[in-house]
Amino acid sequence: MLNDPLRREAAELLRGAELRRAPVSPLAGLFAGIDTEDAYEIQLLNIRHRLAAGDRVTGHKVGLSSPVMQAMMGVEEPDYGHLLHSMELYEDTPVPTAAYCAPRVEVEIGFVLGADLPGEGCTVADVLAATERVVPALELIDSRIADWRITIADTIADNASSAGYVIGEGRAPRELDLKAVDATLTRGSDTLASGRSDAVLGDPAASVAWLARTVARFGVRLRKGHLILPGSCTRAVDVAAGRTYTADFTGLGPVSLSFI
């Protein structure tokens, strides 16, 4: 484990990398012995820094929600990060690629909460009861670690590689089979990726329940009005300026992001 001064140093490195759009080397090579507890503390240092500057938490995201990604990272459970007001993106406003280090998009089914979720003991039934609507979503991810050479400690410390998100209107969860939503990601006439919602822990609502239980250990609750992104239905795709990327979901419809 790292001491507090080293955690602050790591947080400052990541913060500077994001501000300057100049990725840094993997943290494991810079901070010997860094572990997941260190990484979450580093993440929180930078979230607190943003909140002190006037930003606000609008939700949370789950990463590494597929068995394949967990095996690749050598972990047995997902990780999580924070969504902030400054990360909100809009379909009618093009996103400048130069504002990011190495941007990619992921296809997700988002959960907009109409009530607070319980913490310990949160179940899928609790998630469905508290969800106001499920929404089509694209998450913009980015790595402040050079060339996406990330370990589990890197991605956690880097706020689970989160950078932005856009959502569509959506519908009530009872109107869908949340374990059987097909999703495709297209760029113009090209299909870039496809998948199904049960790629996310077998049920994206189970991912939200896992998150509620996990953050409760740190005294955090998932609140009414929050957006929860439970993990990607497809592989991540690099984005390029001048192109539009559209995620389309059976029963939910499309959502798009354009880049300049």
Side-chain angles (χ1 to χ4, degrees):
M1 290 181 63
L2 305 182
N3 59 30
D4 287 343
L6 286 175
R7 288 174 174 176
R8 288 194 295 271
E9 181 181 344
E12 289 166 6
L13 273 178
L14 290 173
R15 192 160 66 245
E18 183 173 12
L19 288 171
R20 294 188 297 273
R21 295 178 293 283
V24 297
S25 298
L27 298 183
L30 300 174
F31 300 92
I34 187 172
D35 61 16
T36 56
E37 183 174 339
D38 293 318
Y40 278 120
E41 290 297 330
I42 292 164
Q43 179 188 134
L44 283 171
L45 284 170
N46 279 336
I47 294 300
R48 291 176 189 133
H49 186 272
R50 288 188 176 210
L51 298 182
D55 215 338
R56 60 183 174 86
V57 174
T58 54
H60 288 79
K61 63 157 289 185
V62 178
L64 307 180
S65 57
S66 74
V68 171
M69 288 302 297
Q70 289 175 23
M72 189 173 77
M73 288 290 181
V75 297
E76 297 180 350
E77 67 174 15
D79 68 347
Y80 70 87
H82 294 71
L83 301 177
L84 301 172
H85 181 262
S86 60
M87 296 179 184
E88 291 183 14
L89 303 172
Y90 305 94
E91 289 192 273
D92 59 357
T93 304
V95 179
T97 55
Y100 303 93
C101 296
R104 297 173 173 175
V105 288
E106 290 187 331
V107 174
E108 310 216 12
I109 294 173
F111 290 68
V112 177
L113 299 181
D116 294 355
L117 280 177
E120 283 187 39
C122 183
T123 66
V124 168
D126 292 325
V127 171
L128 297 179
T131 298
E132 178 181 284
R133 68 188 193 279
V134 290
V135 294
L138 276 170
E139 184 186 5
L140 177 62
I141 60 173
D142 195 20
S143 183
R144 279 59 70 164
I145 304 298
D147 303 317
W148 280 96
R149 291 182 289 121
I150 55 175
T151 65
I152 183 64
D154 291 305
T155 187
I156 290 173
D158 197 20
N159 196 28
S161 305
S162 191
Y165 60 89
V166 63
I167 63 173
E169 286 301 316
R171 47 195 302 199
R174 63 180 177 274
E175 298 175 6
L176 294 168
D177 180 353
L178 289 176
K179 294 183 282 188
V181 176
D182 292 313
T184 58
L185 178 65
T186 58
R187 184 185 59 208
S189 60
D190 297 328
T191 298
L192 304 179
S194 60
R196 204 170 85 150
S197 54
D198 59 358
V200 181
L201 294 186
D203 179 352
S207 180
V208 179
W210 171 86
L211 178 63
R213 295 192 300 269
T214 300
V215 298
R217 303 175 200 162
F218 304 98
V220 176
R221 294 280 299 279
L222 305 185
R223 299 295 187 184
K224 177 180 179 179
H226 278 181
L227 169 68
I228 311 300
L229 297 179
S232 183
C233 303
T234 71
R235 67 180 180 86
V237 171
D238 294 339
V239 300
R243 308 305 295 265
T244 296
Y245 299 80
T246 299
D248 201 355
F249 303 79
T250 56
L252 281 177
V255 66
S256 298
L257 271 182
S258 297
F259 291 84
I260 55 174

